[in-house]
Amino acid sequence: MIVLEPVLETGATDGFGLWPVAACGAYGFMALSGALSAAEVGTAVMRIVECNDVEPEDGGPPRPADALGSFLHGLLTTDTLFAAGGLRVTDTATGVVLVPGCCNGLDERRDWLDVLDGDGWASFGHDPSPLAERVGDVVRLTVDTERPDSPVIELPVPDLRRLLADAERDLTDFLHLATAWASAHMPGLAAPVCAALARALDLPAPAVPRPPEPSGPR
């Protein structure tokens, strides 16, 4: 069976204390979907913020002094946002896994459509250097083009089209989950944070639930 998942590149979470996160090693990938725990969502949001934690541009607003505002500053003020990762493809029958390479972003998953309906090929970062090519009615996925003996995965075009649609739903479900998470963990900043997450993932921004009105005296 071929499994295709949107994945976010993750790093160590040791010492992070702005909100609860799940334990992660030094490097890996987290599959994004609507099935993540609250701590896993916290890890994913932390990592997307880290991807955009850059110094203020000239003429831009200064970085706030408080820890939360400082950490979120790049995400909330940078024009072009980035979420390191992409699509991971696993052939469960052979154990072959294609992962996105360095400098690839989840927003670049649209390039997979070029394989199906455009130029017929797309690459996804380096170290490793994965490549997808359409050969007639089959798509051939090369795990690392820098290796002469690189493993490959092959699947029919209709199967890849279906898997890409499923992955898009997984990513949308994750964003809705992250929206609920942000409403609970940072209600005062939930709307701009969720809008920024949507931009980083190249998805429409979901509606952020309004906080409940305080109950008055009875």
Side-chain angles (χ1 to χ4, degrees), residues 9 27 29 82-87 98-109 111-112 121-132 142-147:
E9 184 182 300
Y27 178 82
F29 289 99
F82 177 72
L87 299 181
L98 178 144
V99 297
C102 179
C103 302
N104 197 75
L106 271 160
D107 60 304
E108 296 177 77
R109 68 189 184 280
D111 293 350
W112 285 83
W121 71 276
S123 58
F124 308 101
H126 57 89
D127 299 322
S129 299
L131 176 71
T142 303
V143 171
D144 187 357
T145 58
E146 297 300 317
R147 290 177 50 188

Side-chain angles (χ1 to χ4, degrees), residues 94 96-97 128-129 140-153:
T94 63
V96 174
V97 182
S129 299
R140 178 179 297 133
L141 309 179
T142 303
V143 171
D144 187 357
T145 58
E146 297 300 317
R147 290 177 50 188
D149 61 343
S150 173
V152 298
I153 299 172

Side-chain angles (χ1 to χ4, degrees), residues 4-6 32-34 165-175:
L4 187 149
E5 305 163 292
L32 301 181
S33 73
D166 290 345
E168 201 69 16
R169 283 192 291 271
D170 284 340
L171 205 53
T172 299
D173 290 346
F174 162 76
L175 182 58

